[in-house]
C-alpha cells in the first residue's frame, strides 16, 4: 500500500533521468525511493531530502557531504553514489546503487546474534571500508548497525556496505562548522569524546570505539551500553564498562575479550590506532 506522500511522486521523473517507481524507506531528513534510469533501465536508490529542510544550510551541507565522500572514496564496501543534484523545485537528492538486503540492526533483530565465524567476514569488510575512509582523512562519526547494510552479492547475502557519511569529519575541511560542544552521533555507539562534546578530539579512533560496540552487539545480540534514556546511555559510555562478553557468549576465540576491551577503551590513546590494527 502506498503512502499519501508517495502517491504524489509515483512516476515522477527527476532531472529528465530518474523515474520514481517505489518507496524503499524513510529517515530523519528525507525518504529513499526506487528510481529507474529512463534511458538505461537500471534501478537505483534515490534519496530525496525533505523539502522542509531544503533551505537549511547545515542540513544541506550534511546531505552534500554524504554524496561527495561516498562518491570520492569509490570503495567496494562503501555504497556507490552516482549522482547528486537538486530537483527543478530546488530539493536536493542523491542517487545511489540499489542494494538488496537489510541493515545490520534489522539482521540482528530478525536473526539474532552472529557467531564469531559469521561475524568475521562482515567485520573485515567494514574494517576495509573504514580504513579507506580514514586513509582519505575522513572520520565517519556515526558508525552504528543501521549504517552497515548487508546485501546480496554473488552467493553471499551478508556482503557489507558502509552507508551515510552525512556527519563525517574531514581533515582540513571548513564546509561544515561544528560547535565545539555539540554532540554528533548515536548515543549507544558514541565514543566518550563524542558524548562529552569534545569535537576537536574526534579522530579515526572514534570510529574504532563504535566498531567495538558494534562487534559486541553482533556477538551478543545486546547493546554494549544499553540505557532507557540518552543521558544515561552517554553516562555509561563515559564511565562504565559493558558486561564481559565472555560471560554472555561461550567458546569465543582466545583473546577476543582483550581485543574488545582495547577497542572500547575510554581513553582514545589506549585504543587501536587504526581500523586495520583492530581487524
Amino acid at each position: 500500500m502506498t503512502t499519501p506522500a508517495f502517491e504524489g511522486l509515483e512516476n515522477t521523473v527527476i532531472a529528465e533521468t530518474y523515474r520514481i517507481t517505489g518507496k524503499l524507506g524513510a529517515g530523519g531528513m528525507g525518504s529513499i525511493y526506487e528510481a529507474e534510469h529512463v534511458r538505461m533501465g537500471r534501478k537505483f536508490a534515490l534519496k530525496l531530502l525533505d523539502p522542509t529542510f531544503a533551505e537549511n544550510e547545515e542540513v544541506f551541507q550534511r546531505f552534500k557531504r554524504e554524496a561527495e565522500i561516498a562518491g570520492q572514496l569509490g570503495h567496494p564496501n562503501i555504497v556507490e553514489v552516482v549522482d547528486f543534484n537538486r530537483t527543478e523545485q530546488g530539493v536536493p537528492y542523491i542517487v545511489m546503487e540499489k542494494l538488496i538486503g537489510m541493515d545490520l540492526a534489522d539482521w540482528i533483530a530478525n536473526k539474532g546474534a552472529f557467531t564469531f565465524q559469521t561475524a568475521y567476514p562482515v567485520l573485515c569488510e567494514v574494517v576495509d571500508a573504514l580504513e579507506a575512509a580514514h586513509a582519505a582523512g575522513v572520520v565517519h562519526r556515526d558508525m552504528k548497525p543501521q549504517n552497515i547494510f548487508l546485501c546480496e552479492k554473488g552467493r553471499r547475502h551478508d556482503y557489507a556496505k558502509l552507508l551515510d557519511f552525512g556527519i563525517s569529519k574531514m581533515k582540513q575541511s571548513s564546509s561544515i562548522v561544528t560547535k565545539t560542544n555539540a554532540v554528533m552521533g548515536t548515543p549507544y555507539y558514541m565514543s566518550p569524546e563524542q558524548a562529552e562534546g569534545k569535537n576537536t578530539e574526534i579522530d579515526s579512533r572514534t570510529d574504532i570505539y563504535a566498531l567495538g560496540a558494534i562487534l559486541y552487539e553482533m556477538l551478543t545480540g545486546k547493546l554494549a551500553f544499553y540505557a532507557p534514556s540518552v543521558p544515561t546511555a552517554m553516562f555509561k559510555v563515559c564511565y562504565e564498562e559493558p558486561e564481559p562478553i565472555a560471560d554472555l557468549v561461550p567458546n569465543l576465540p582466545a583473546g577476543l575479550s582483550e581485543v574488545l576491551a582495547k577497542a572500547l577503551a575510554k581513553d582514545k590513546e589506549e585504543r587501536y590506532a587504526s581500523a586495520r590494527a583492530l581487524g
Side-chain angles (χ1 to χ4, degrees), residues 82-262:
V82 299
D83 201 358
F84 170 73
N85 210 331
R86 290 181 183 265
T87 67
E88 290 83 352
Q89 294 75 34
V91 179
Y93 66 88
I94 298 172
V95 182
M96 303 171 285
E97 63 177 319
K98 183 187 175 187
L99 303 175
I100 299 173
M102 68 180 76
D103 67 43
L104 180 57
D106 285 341
W107 184 290
I108 295 171
N110 292 329
K111 303 187 179 188
F114 287 67
T115 65
F116 182 78
Q117 288 71 25
T118 57
Y120 185 70
V122 175
L123 176 69
C124 287
E125 288 162 353
V126 177
V127 162
D128 286 347
L130 273 184
E131 188 71 10
H134 295 165
V138 176
V139 181
H140 191 285
R141 293 207 300 182
D142 196 20
M143 291 292 299
K144 58 185 177 182
Q146 291 85 348
N147 284 337
I148 298 171
F149 199 90
L150 303 184
C151 62
E152 296 181 8
K153 185 177 176 67
R155 296 183 178 181
R156 287 185 55 189
H157 299 279
D158 60 351
Y159 186 81
K161 290 271 189 174
L162 185 57
L163 314 177
D164 198 354
F165 285 83
I167 66 167
S168 60
K169 177 181 179 182
M170 182 179 287
K171 292 179 182 176
Q172 300 175 333
S173 172
S174 58
S175 62
I176 294 181
V177 178
T178 304
K179 296 180 179 64
T180 303
N181 294 318
V183 175
M184 303 285 280
T186 302
Y188 298 119
Y189 311 95
M190 207 178 267
S191 67
E193 59 269 19
Q194 279 179 296
E196 294 176 349
K198 297 177 179 178
N199 289 309
T200 58
E201 296 185 14
I202 290 173
D203 59 23
S204 59
R205 291 167 292 185
T206 297
D207 289 341
I208 300 300
Y209 186 95
L211 191 51
I214 291 168
L215 179 58
Y216 183 99
E217 186 175 348
M218 289 176 73
L219 296 174
T220 65
K222 298 180 179 180
L223 291 166
F225 300 100
Y226 173 74
S229 67
V230 169
T232 306
M234 293 169 71
F235 179 88
K236 286 189 171 186
V237 162
C238 292
Y239 301 109
E240 296 186 7
E241 299 296 334
E243 185 176 356
I245 194 168
D247 293 349
L248 298 173
V249 184
N251 304 318
L252 286 172
L256 183 62
S257 295
E258 288 75 12
V259 170
L260 276 172
K262 187 173 178 67

